[in-house]
Amino acid sequence: MSNPDAIIIGSGVIGAATAFEMAKAGWKTLSLDRNAQVGHGSTAGSCAIIRMHYSTFDGTAFAWEGYHYWRDWAAYLGLPDGANLAQFRETGCLVMKTEANGHLEKHMQYSAELGCPFEEWTGEEVLERLPIYSLDSFAPAKRMDDPEFGKPNGARMGGAVYWPNGGYVTDPALSAQNLMEAARLHGAQVRTGAEVVEILQSEGRVRGVRLASGEEIQAAVVINVAGPGSSIINRMAGVLEDMTIETRPLRQEVVHVPSPEGFDFEAQGTIVSDSDIACYVRPEHSNHILIGSEDPECDPHQWCEDDLHYDRDFTDQWTTQAMRYGQRVPTLGIPSKMRGVVDLYDASTDWIPIYDKSSLPGFYMACGTSGNQYKNAPIAGKMMAALVEYCEGGADHDAAPLQFTLPYVGRSIDVGFYSRRRPINEESSFSVLG
């Protein structure tokens, strides 16, 4: 495909969803990815958690909308019977009430307004579901070299909120491949092993890309969905100057440890977000527990210059996260061999993504999405397709932002919420929680 209508840079879960939605809308799309396979960038390292709780109304509405596509995954994709599909495990999502999250008052208010089911649980109800837990409080979170690490502060956890529709996708890379296969049914094309090195421009407008091979591909629309490489692509396009929100690659470690003996966390566990110990967890295959960090102040952020050169080995952050969760689960065994994932997030200034046009006509971006937007990929793709149609149809999205209706939820959201030029959102958690 030498002359597509639109080039999409990146074939992770959001890039693939954008290709699917644009192809369904009649666009002739070409997806380009530096990796050898679709979904093998940061998507492959995603924890792939599907949750509904956010600290902003727009974030909650978007996530509740997104859930419905994972619930109806096969119907959404429309692939032939027998296709190998990623699986959504609806385990529920339990969030511990803490001072840090305002005891979830806002989260419950937004869920109630949207008709998203949730339950308030007492501490005793938490222990019924997770008898391996201790409800001692350890806040604020500390690193393991702190002399106060592991010492309860004398308080007890005051219960939790449970969202029964939460869960996780067992194979995130496969989910991106599913989306791209569905896009192909509508005429989309994809090239892997294709590295973009220049954004071509002419007469004040994007006109395509140049690849590392020297090949030029012409297109009137280019969409940057390059994950942790998004800031480099934006720099190539020369669109950074009017952006108040920047994106940067952030190194993250995710821990895998065995479930305590006598408890089947894979079958009986759930997603848990616990800002008291600054960890989130989910079941992992082979009866393991996946442990991620909620980015407390005491943990240094490891920002990277680019998305290729970073330390892929585990550090003492692995042990810190495992030990933090050991505060909540005293019988947790911490193995001597470190297992898990080291990968990058594409994190924005306020951890809320950019879904927007740019100062260069025809150049669009879906950036800053890592860590908390995997769950929103299908609806983000649908919204990006609508945004491109809106702007290419002559509308000024900066002056009159697109008002986009969420099909399942039936609410209209102001896409300007995700603007590259927005003020930093002070309602954000400024962490992976978004």
Side-chain angles (χ1 to χ4, degrees):
M1 187 188 286
S2 58
N3 287 291
D5 299 327
I7 292 169
I8 299 168
I9 303 173
S11 70
V13 69
I14 294 178
T18 302
F20 179 39
E21 292 294 343
M22 290 191 69
K24 284 194 294 182
W27 290 80
K28 190 167 66 168
T29 66
L30 172 63
S31 295
L32 301 173
D33 200 300
R34 184 181 62 201
N35 293 299
Q37 283 185 274
V38 167
H40 275 223
S42 59
T43 289
S46 171
C47 296
I49 289 172
I50 311 300
R51 62 174 169 93
M52 295 89 217
H53 66 281
Y54 273 80
S55 58
T56 64
F57 179 82
D58 297 82
T60 307
F62 213 51
W64 178 225
E65 173 74 23
Y67 155 79
H68 295 82
Y69 301 86
W70 298 108
R71 183 195 65 184
D72 303 330
W73 192 233
Y76 170 59
L77 295 170
L79 290 172
D81 290 345
N84 180 26
L85 300 184
Q87 301 299 309
F88 170 45
R89 287 198 62 215
E90 202 163 325
T91 60
C93 179
L94 184 70
V95 188
M96 307 300 286
K97 289 182 176 181
T98 67
E99 282 189 26
N101 60 30
H103 301 281
L104 300 169
E105 294 297 334
K106 278 187 180 179
H107 304 70
M108 289 188 285
Q109 174 192 333
Y110 298 147
S111 286
E113 286 181 33
L114 290 162
C116 174
F118 65 91
E119 305 164 10
E120 286 193 77
W121 284 13
T122 64
E124 289 67 30
E125 287 171 310
V126 172
L127 295 178
E128 284 176 21
R129 176 67 180 265
L130 297 169
I132 55 175
Y133 264 39
S134 160
L135 294 182
D136 288 331
S137 172
F138 295 88
K142 305 170 186 68
R143 295 190 62 76
M144 63 180 184
D145 55 6
D146 188 308
E148 297 300 308
F149 182 85
K151 296 180 181 178
N153 61 27
R156 277 179 67 78
M157 301 301 293
V161 179
Y162 180 70
W163 278 267
N165 300 117
Y168 66 98
V169 175
T170 55
D171 189 336
L174 179 59
S175 69
Q177 292 157 14
N178 291 162
L179 285 160
M180 194 60 78
E181 197 60 38
R184 284 193 181 103
L185 292 182
H186 296 271
Q189 293 195 23
V190 59
R191 286 175 59 180
T192 54
E195 182 179 2
V196 173
V197 296
E198 185 180 349
I199 304 299
L200 303 176
Q201 303 177 35
S202 177
E203 298 178 353
R205 199 189 152 85
V206 76
R207 68 175 179 91
V209 302
R210 179 179 287 116
L211 304 182
S213 64
E215 178 185 359
E216 291 188 4
I217 306 173
Q218 308 290 319
V221 168
V222 175
I223 307 173
N224 176 10
V225 203
S230 70
S231 60
I232 294 172
I233 300 295
N234 284 338
R235 196 175 305 126
M236 284 181 197
V239 299
L240 297 176
E241 198 167 287
D242 79 334
M243 296 174 64
T244 57
I245 305 296
E246 66 174 0
T247 63
R248 288 191 290 170
L250 176 64
R251 183 184 176 280
Q252 291 281 317
E253 298 183 33
V254 174
V255 176
H256 293 180
V257 297
S259 180
E261 192 172 343
F263 186 78
D264 189 340
F265 201 92
E266 188 175 5
Q268 300 167 262
T270 183
I271 311 263
V272 185
S273 172
D274 190 341
S275 54
D276 184 78
I277 55 170
C279 285
Y280 64 87
V281 302
R282 74 156 171 80
E284 179 61 20
H285 63 81
S286 302
N287 196 23
H288 275 62
I289 304 172
L290 178 155
I291 308 168
S293 170
E294 292 190 349
D295 305 291
E297 288 185 11
C298 61
D299 286 1
H301 279 151
Q302 299 181 47
W303 299 105
C304 304
E305 288 300 311
D306 59 50
D307 59 330
L308 287 176
H309 304 98
Y310 65 96
D311 183 2
R312 290 169 169 82
D313 295 328
F314 292 113
T315 67
D316 62 0
Q317 180 63 30
W318 188 99
T319 311
T320 293
Q321 284 169 214
M323 295 287 282
R324 276 198 193 124
Y325 193 56
Q327 295 171 132
R328 184 67 64 231
V329 182
T331 57
L332 186 71
I334 299 179
S336 56
K337 184 178 179 181
M338 295 178 176
R339 293 181 56 186
V341 176
V342 178
D343 214 325
L344 298 177
Y345 285 169
D346 182 29
S348 81
T349 306
D350 58 7
W351 288 80
I352 294 170
I354 302 169
Y355 298 125
D356 200 1
K357 65 187 282 292
S358 74
S359 58
L360 174 65
F363 184 82
Y364 298 84
M365 56 185 83
C367 305
T369 58
S370 296
N372 65 62
Q373 290 294 298
Y374 173 92
K375 66 190 69 59
N376 295 332
I379 188 58
K382 196 177 288 287
M383 189 172 76
M384 285 302 298
L387 177 65
V388 173
E389 293 271 9
Y390 182 68
C391 296
E392 294 303 304
D396 185 344
H397 177 61
D398 286 338
L402 170 66
Q403 304 303 301
F404 179 69
T405 300
L406 302 173
Y408 279 100
V409 174
R411 294 288 187 112
S412 181
I413 62 171
D414 183 341
V415 183
F417 176 81
Y418 298 104
S419 170
R420 72 198 185 281
R421 298 166 61 180
R422 66 181 181 260
I424 292 172
N425 193 319
E426 298 300 336
E427 285 193 328
S428 172
S429 67
F430 294 92
S431 75
V432 67
L433 297 176

